[in-house]
């Protein structure tokens, strides 16, 4: 939102002594944030209205002329090469920068110097020149806002310009435009009146909005037009007036200047009035050619599904039944709140005009602009949700301007369809609660003064605040407290301790598990990696995942950056292998990486969001093997309180892992992950030339059975007793099965056990291997004797024998 300071001052007298920076700072501190400002008269100095009295040919240059210019009280000689100043011409009024003055820049429209250009007297081809006549670009503006300016040449002022007066003021360049960041809940501030009201409250000055007088002839507008609202849920209010005997002409300079400061190019009086009122009141308006309105009737209805409509820009739009249309007795003539139709547009031949000011549903306007791919200045305002009470104010203001500018004859009366009148909100006035919320001690009288500035009425009998309809953001006491805070001054609010019961801050249990994963990985020499959650569907082919695998069922991104980023990943392996491959290509050695990688599993119900879970993913190449990775996994499980050792199922069946060097990780009856060596073909696809190992643990399955509770036991008082057993075991038997027997039959006496030798050779019969374990026994209440240990060993050996295992001699 941009506003002219001069426009604000017209409504808020008493701001003349306020500098631009003071205005910006004060408005920002009171809640209307100023993003920046531009002073149009920056670097413009000693520029007056001059009148050319004579123009003679330069004696030594074909393209130069010598002018005698009256600058008010004196005549100066100026040499120029402007093509629109010709020999023999006189009487033209032009902007003249006097000797010692400054202009903003050059006529070529290039980058403007920071400090402008200082004008000095000098000689041009031997003839003295005591100033310079200016083009519009040299005054820091452009032909976009001064369309009557020549493309190359001096800007010619109007006949009403007073010789010797300030040319900058005459052109409306003695102004500063402020740019604001307006939040969507302050729709009232998307208007000059709204900003002026805030400025008046901020500086505690009077607020004088435009005084709108009654307009219209003795006729009745209802004899000209009737209005019917079919979609009352999408149109809260519709007002219309008729103007006849239209006289198109340029709008006055003051209106053109104000539109220019808002970034709007002046066109003609009718168009400029609609744009002017839209900026002043924040209420978009639209004008139709009355003679093109069939049946002299306006109907506000929903469009039919698939209905087409040609807008003012000549584009045909395909509509849906949710689109709100403005129609006459036979056809659609406008997209409500967005743009009028080509079939009722204002032309130079217009005689009678229908003016529209309405309030449409903001959400519906927003959805419609998205569907048809068109957004306008009007729709941008309607989207915020306008105040229905503002529509009639803007309508009457526009008609007043039409009469004042002689643009037409306003027909008496107004069509005003207002099915449900907007009621003013009432909020209980609780000053004690407000002070408690803010930690302040603002008096009741001070609060009432703030409310008065904001046009909030205090009802003493009911002890309530009556909120004006334009303040749609004030709903509850907290909102009222904010109003008090911003005018009391946030910088004046003292520092206080918070009130209320204290709470113990801590991270969630899930985060503690994730932190433990990071801690163990880093302790074991792994560095953290971060990879994209979106990837290419081709990943599944690279990893040899079967066509019917559920992993191929992905969440598809509706607006992807490209095919390589078009789906959300369902497994984390691709990101890890890509990172390892990058390190391998850069010749890094012994690379270990880990990632807490989020994967996305879509629901069978399309209306439900996908399941998001975190996989603790480890990968390395270089120093280490399968058992190195297995050790890291078990270190992590022990760290999060999973005391029992996991078991491993070698029949994992992962196509991207080596068929003989992979396993599912089983804890109890739950598969919590998998580990193994990457299949050589997969490693080759990714360009990794070494054996690569990965492990993936599903934290969503681990977290429910994890525990950080610890129970500490004292140091053992009695010695341990150890026994070594060496066995001949079938080659395909897993040592995990042996350990289950030792753990089960050893009971409470077995303190620990460990594998210390595996051997295959000539001394061992074919199809078998030698496995040796050390078993440690200890009791807490006594020193164990052989008679305590022997029965336990016999149970262990019997169960092992039943499994086809023989003791090695």
């Amino acid at each position: 939102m941009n506003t002219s300071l001069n426009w604000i001052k017209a409504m808020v007298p008493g701001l003349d002594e306020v500098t631009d920076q003071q205005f910006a700072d004060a408005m920002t501190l009171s809640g209307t944030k100023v993003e920046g400002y531009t002073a149009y008269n920056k670097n413009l100095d000693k520029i007056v209205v001059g009148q050319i009295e004579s123009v003679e040919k330069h004696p030594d240059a074909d393209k130069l002329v010598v002018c005698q210019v009256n600058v008010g009280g004196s005549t100066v000689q100026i040499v120029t090469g402007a093509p629109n100043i010709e020999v023999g011409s006189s009487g033209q009024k032009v902007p003249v920068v006097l000797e010692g003055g400054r202009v903003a820049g050059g006529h070529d429209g290039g980058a403007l110097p920071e400090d402008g250009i200082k004008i000095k007297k000098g000689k041009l081809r031997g003839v003295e020149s005591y100033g310079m006549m200016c083009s519009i670009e040299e005054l820091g503006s452009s032909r976009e806002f001064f369309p009557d300016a020549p493309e190359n040449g001096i800007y010619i002022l109007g006949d009403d310009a007073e010789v010797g007066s300030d040319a900058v003021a005459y052109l409306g360049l003695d102004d500063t435009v402020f740019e604001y960041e307006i939040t969507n809940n302050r729709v009232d501030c998307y208007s000059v009146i709204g900003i002026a009201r805030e400025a008046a409250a901020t500086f505690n000055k009077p607020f004088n909005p435009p005084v709108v007088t009654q307009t219209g002839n003795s006729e009745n507008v209802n004899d000209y037009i009737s209005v019917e609202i079919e979609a009352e849920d999408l149109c809260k209010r519709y007002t219309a007036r008729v103007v006849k005997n239209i006289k198109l002409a340029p709008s006055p300079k003051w209106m053109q200047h104000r539109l220019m400061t808002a970034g709007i190019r002046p066109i003609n009086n009718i168009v400029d009035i609609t744009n002017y009122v839209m900026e002043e009141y924040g209420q978009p308006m639209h004008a139709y050619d009355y003679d093109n309105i069939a049946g002299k009737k306006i109907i506000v209805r929903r469009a039919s599904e698939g209905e087409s409509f040609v807008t003012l820009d000549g584009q045909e739009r395909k509509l849906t039944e949710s689109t709100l249309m403005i129609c006459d007795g036979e056809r659609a003539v406008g997209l409500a709140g967005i743009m009028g139709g080509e079939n009722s547009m204002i032309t130079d031949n217009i005689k009678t005009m229908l003016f529209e000011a309405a309030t449409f549903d903001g959400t519906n306007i927003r959805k419609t602009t998205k569907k048809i791919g068109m957004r306008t200045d009007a729709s941008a305002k309607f989207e915020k949700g306008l105040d229905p009470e503002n529509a009639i104010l803007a309508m009457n203001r526009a008609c007043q301007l039409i009469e004042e500018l002689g643009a037409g004859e306003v027909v008496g009366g107004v069509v005003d369809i207002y099915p449900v009148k907007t009621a003013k909100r009432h909020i209980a006035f609780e000053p004690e609660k407000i002070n408690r919320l803010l930690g302040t001690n603002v008096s009741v009288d001070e609060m009432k003064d703030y409310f008065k500035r904001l046009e909030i009425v205090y009802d003493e009998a009911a002890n309530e605040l009556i909120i004006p309809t334009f303040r749609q953001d004030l709903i509850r006491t907290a909102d009222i407290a904010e109003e008090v805070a911003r005018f009391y001054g946030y910088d004046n609010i003292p520092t206080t301790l918070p009130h209320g019961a204290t709470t113990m801050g801590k991270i969630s249990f899930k985060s503690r598990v994730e932190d433990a994963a990071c801690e163990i990985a880093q302790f074991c020499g792994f560095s953290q990696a971060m990879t994209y959650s979106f990837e290419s569907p081709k990943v599944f082919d690279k990893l040899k995942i079967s066509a019917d695998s559920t992993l191929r069922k992905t969440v598809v991104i509706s607006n992807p950056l490209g095919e390589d980023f078009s789906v959300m990943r369902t497994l984390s392996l691709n990101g890890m292998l890509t990172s390892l491959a990058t390190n391998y290509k850069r010749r890094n050695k012994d690379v270990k990486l880990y990632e807490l990688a989020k994967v996305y599993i879509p629901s069978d119900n399309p209306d439900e969001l996908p399941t998001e879970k975190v996989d603790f993913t480890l990968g390395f190449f270089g120093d280490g093997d399968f058992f190195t990775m297995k050790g890291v996994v078990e270190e992590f499980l022990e760290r999060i309180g999973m005391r029992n050792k996991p078991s491993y199922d070698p029949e994992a069946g992962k196509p991207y892992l080596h068929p003989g060097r992979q396993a599912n990780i089983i804890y109890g009856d739950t598969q919590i992950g998998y580990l193994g060596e990457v299949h050589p073909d997969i490693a080759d696809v990714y360009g990794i030339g070494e054996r690569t190992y990965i492990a993936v643990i599903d934290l969503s399955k681990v977290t429910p059975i994890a525990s950080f509770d610890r129970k500490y036991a004292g140091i053992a008082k009695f010695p341990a007793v150890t026994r070594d057993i060496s066995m001949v075991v079938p080659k395909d038997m897993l040592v995990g099965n042996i350990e289950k027997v030792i753990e089960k039959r050893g009971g409470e006496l077995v303190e620990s056990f460990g594998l210390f030798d595996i051997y295959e050779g000539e001394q061992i019969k074919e199809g078998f291997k030698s496995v040796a374990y050390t078993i440690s026994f200890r009791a807490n209440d006594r020193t164990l004797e052989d008679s305590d240990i022997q029965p336990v060993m016999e149970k262990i050996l019997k169960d092992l024998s039943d499994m086809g295992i023989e003791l090695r001699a």
Side-chain angles (χ1 to χ4, degrees):
M1 178 66 193
N2 295 348
T3 66
S4 152
L5 184 57
N6 284 348
W7 203 344
I8 298 295
K9 288 179 179 178
M11 302 183 199
V12 187
L15 293 180
D16 290 337
E17 302 302 320
V18 177
T19 66
D20 292 346
Q21 189 61 52
Q22 288 172 340
F23 183 85
D25 292 342
M27 292 294 285
T28 298
L29 287 175
S30 68
T32 309
K33 183 181 178 183
V34 175
E35 286 287 309
Y37 59 87
T38 302
Y40 284 170
N41 59 357
K42 180 183 179 182
N43 300 328
L44 300 182
D45 185 33
K46 298 179 69 174
I47 301 176
V48 300
V49 175
Q51 185 169 24
I52 300 175
E53 296 185 339
S54 67
V55 182
E56 298 177 355
K57 190 176 184 305
H58 191 288
D60 269 339
D62 292 337
K63 294 185 179 181
L64 297 179
V65 293
V66 181
C67 304
Q68 303 300 322
V69 184
N70 179 6
V71 293
S74 64
T75 300
V76 296
Q77 179 172 285
I78 299 177
V79 179
T80 181
N84 60 334
I85 306 297
E86 300 176 355
V87 173
S89 61
S90 62
Q92 292 175 315
K93 294 181 179 180
V94 294
V96 176
V97 55
L98 302 176
E99 179 186 349
R102 287 183 182 275
V103 291
H107 66 276
D108 58 356
L112 303 182
E114 181 65 26
D115 298 324
I117 299 174
K118 188 172 183 179
I119 303 302
K120 302 176 182 179
K121 70 176 181 179
K123 289 185 178 182
L124 292 178
R125 301 293 295 268
V127 178
E128 291 185 332
S129 182
Y130 296 91
M132 184 179 77
M133 294 181 286
C134 304
S135 67
I136 202 64
E137 288 79 13
E138 287 163 334
L139 296 175
S141 191
S142 67
R143 296 179 66 241
E144 179 182 1
F145 299 117
F146 290 88
D148 57 335
E151 186 172 355
N152 292 297
I154 304 302
Y155 184 69
I156 308 301
L157 303 176
D159 293 337
D160 58 339
E162 183 180 345
V163 176
S165 64
D166 187 347
V168 174
Y170 174 82
L171 290 169
L173 297 176
D174 58 336
D175 199 359
T176 302
V177 172
F178 289 82
E179 179 185 356
Y180 305 88
E181 179 186 316
I182 307 297
T183 54
N184 285 341
N185 66 325
R186 288 303 306 274
V187 64
D188 58 302
C189 287
Y190 284 93
S191 66
V192 177
I193 285 180
I195 298 294
R197 184 184 289 113
E198 287 293 306
T202 298
F203 293 96
N204 198 13
K205 301 291 185 183
F207 173 53
N208 301 326
V211 177
V212 181
T213 57
Q214 185 175 355
T215 55
N217 59 23
S218 60
E219 296 178 279
N220 187 343
V221 69
N222 293 288
D223 296 334
Y224 282 77
I225 195 74
S226 64
V227 176
E228 178 185 344
I229 301 178
E230 292 183 358
E232 291 187 359
D233 57 325
L234 301 182
C235 180
K236 296 180 180 179
R237 189 175 194 179
Y238 191 99
T239 68
R241 297 192 73 172
V242 172
V243 181
K244 62 182 186 177
N245 300 326
I246 298 294
K247 299 174 184 176
L248 293 180
S251 53
K253 289 291 184 184
W254 64 266
M255 180 175 285
Q256 292 187 28
H257 294 162
R258 289 183 176 179
L259 289 175
M260 179 188 70
T261 61
I264 299 174
R265 184 171 64 87
I267 298 176
N268 60 49
N269 49 7
I270 297 298
V271 175
D272 291 353
I273 285 171
T274 60
N275 287 332
Y276 183 87
V277 173
M278 181 173 71
E279 292 302 312
E280 188 173 52
Y281 280 79
Q283 171 67 51
M285 303 186 67
H286 189 68
Y288 301 94
D289 189 333
Y290 175 79
D291 294 328
N292 290 332
I293 301 297
K296 307 312 176 191
K297 183 177 183 178
I298 290 293
I299 302 173
V300 184
R301 64 165 176 83
R302 285 179 167 85
S304 303
E305 189 69 33
E307 182 178 347
S308 61
F309 179 70
V310 180
T311 49
L312 277 172
D313 57 1
Q315 298 294 315
E316 184 176 356
R317 313 284 178 176
K318 293 294 182 181
L319 311 177
T320 65
E321 60 183 8
S322 63
T323 304
L324 188 63
M325 302 296 296
I326 308 298
C327 307
D328 61 15
E330 298 176 356
R331 59 190 177 170
V333 294
L335 282 176
I338 303 174
M339 184 177 283
E342 191 177 48
N343 54 17
S344 62
M345 65 186 295
I346 299 294
T347 66
D348 292 342
N349 299 320
I350 186 170
K351 300 299 181 184
T352 306
M353 174 183 69
L354 175 67
F355 243 156
E356 165 195 284
T359 306
F360 303 116
D361 181 73
T363 302
N364 178 263
I365 296 296
R366 172 67 173 167
K367 289 180 177 178
T368 300
T369 59
K370 295 285 285 184
K371 287 178 181 177
I372 67 176
M374 180 176 66
R375 197 163 184 257
T376 62
D377 290 341
S379 68
K381 292 185 183 295
F382 277 117
E383 288 170 8
K384 310 296 188 300
L386 300 183
D387 174 19
E389 294 293 317
N390 200 38
I392 192 64
L393 298 174
M395 172 62 76
N396 291 336
R397 172 62 167 163
C399 290
Q400 178 192 30
L401 290 172
I402 285 176
E403 287 193 350
E404 288 181 356
L405 302 185
E409 180 184 352
V410 179
V411 174
V414 59
V415 178
D416 188 0
I417 308 300
Y418 197 180
V420 181
K421 186 175 176 62
T422 300
K424 293 182 178 181
R425 189 177 293 108
H426 290 238
I427 301 176
F429 181 40
E430 302 173 290
E432 297 84 3
K433 184 176 181 180
I434 291 172
N435 276 321
R436 283 199 306 272
L437 280 170
L438 300 178
T440 57
N441 190 26
V442 183
S443 69
V444 173
D445 289 340
E446 285 182 277
M447 292 186 188
K448 290 180 181 178
D449 179 59
Y450 300 151
F451 301 149
K452 184 177 179 181
R453 299 187 211 172
L454 297 168
E455 301 181 28
I456 298 173
V457 177
Y458 173 58
D459 183 346
E460 188 172 357
N463 192 35
E464 290 181 334
L465 300 173
I466 303 175
I467 311 302
T469 56
F470 59 79
R471 287 303 302 271
Q472 300 179 32
D473 59 308
L474 301 184
I475 300 173
R476 53 185 68 86
T477 300
D479 302 322
I480 298 299
E482 182 183 1
E483 299 302 295
V484 172
R486 67 193 186 99
F487 289 108
Y488 178 72
Y490 292 112
D491 52 333
N492 294 324
I493 297 177
T495 302
T496 58
L497 293 174
H499 298 282
T502 59
T503 58
M504 181 180 294
K506 61 179 182 179
I507 64 173
S508 66
F509 187 82
K510 174 176 174 290
S511 296
R512 292 182 67 187
V513 172
E514 292 177 357
D515 289 347
C518 296
E519 177 186 322
I520 292 300
Q522 293 168 12
F523 174 78
C524 295
F526 287 74
S527 299
Q528 187 171 16
M530 296 183 69
T531 61
Y532 289 118
S533 294
F534 35 83
E535 54 191 17
S536 170
K538 298 176 183 177
V539 164
F540 303 111
D541 294 331
K542 290 175 67 175
L543 296 175
K544 294 185 177 180
I545 293 174
S546 62
D548 59 349
S549 172
T550 57
L551 292 174
R552 287 182 179 264
K553 183 181 178 182
T554 61
V555 177
V556 179
I557 300 172
S558 59
N559 56 339
L561 298 174
E563 185 183 3
D564 291 342
F565 305 96
S566 59
V567 300
M568 303 301 292
R569 64 185 175 190
T570 54
L571 76 169
S572 58
L573 191 59
N574 174 67
M576 177 58 67
L577 291 178
T578 300
S579 297
L580 290 172
T582 300
N583 280 273
Y584 180 80
K585 292 171 185 175
R586 294 177 180 174
R587 301 184 180 182
N588 292 328
K589 306 295 184 183
D590 300 328
V591 175
K592 295 182 177 180
L593 300 175
Y594 80 93
E595 180 182 12
L596 296 179
K598 187 171 286 188
V599 296
Y600 302 82
I601 310 301
S603 171
D604 293 332
N605 185 347
D607 295 329
E608 292 183 1
L609 293 173
T611 300
E612 300 181 23
K613 62 188 186 72
V614 177
D615 283 350
F616 178 29
T617 308
L618 299 147
F620 75 85
F621 63 78
D623 186 21
D625 56 17
F626 178 94
F627 297 102
T628 303
M629 185 65 84
K630 177 172 173 285
V632 176
V633 170
E634 293 180 355
E635 185 83 18
F636 166 63
L637 297 180
E638 182 179 357
R639 173 67 178 81
I640 60 174
M642 299 169 67
R643 296 295 184 183
N644 298 328
K645 285 190 175 183
S647 59
Y648 300 89
D649 177 10
E651 302 299 326
K654 308 292 184 188
Y656 41 81
L657 297 180
H658 194 294
R661 298 167 190 163
Q662 60 173 288
N664 286 329
I665 306 170
I666 312 296
Y667 192 86
D669 296 328
T670 304
Q671 179 184 328
I672 61 173
Y674 59 88
L675 79 161
E677 180 184 332
V678 175
H679 196 292
D681 291 345
I682 302 298
D684 185 60
V685 168
Y686 280 88
I688 306 175
E690 294 191 35
R691 287 188 172 184
T692 304
Y693 301 89
I694 60 101
V696 177
I697 300 175
D698 186 348
L699 294 188
S700 67
K701 294 181 178 179
V702 168
T703 301
I705 52 180
S707 172
F708 290 97
D709 295 337
R710 294 291 185 268
K711 184 177 181 180
Y712 295 94
I715 298 174
K717 297 180 180 179
F718 300 94
V721 178
T722 60
R723 293 285 188 272
D724 292 345
I725 55 172
S726 181
M727 299 161 282
V728 177
V729 179
K731 195 171 183 179
D732 59 354
M733 179 173 287
L734 301 176
V735 294
N737 296 335
I738 299 173
E739 292 179 355
K740 288 180 181 178
V741 171
I742 298 173
E743 189 173 15
K744 178 181 178 181
R745 289 303 186 181
E748 295 181 354
L749 292 182
V750 174
E751 182 181 55
S752 63
F753 54 85
L755 175 69
F756 69 86
D757 183 57
I758 296 180
Y759 172 74
E760 295 180 36
E762 295 180 359
Q763 296 86 348
I764 307 301
K765 58 185 178 180
E766 187 176 351
F768 287 79
K769 59 186 174 183
S770 172
V771 177
Y773 271 89
T774 292
I775 306 175
S776 177
F777 299 88
R778 192 193 300 269
N780 294 327
D781 56 351
R782 67 188 188 281
T783 299
L784 294 177
E785 298 181 356
D786 188 64
S787 58
D788 297 313
I789 298 171
Q790 190 59 33
V792 176
M793 287 298 299
E794 289 176 356
K795 292 179 183 179
I796 292 173
L797 294 175
K798 181 179 182 307
D799 282 10
L800 293 176
S801 177
D802 292 343
M803 295 168 60
I805 297 174
E806 304 173 3
L807 282 178
R808 187 178 177 190

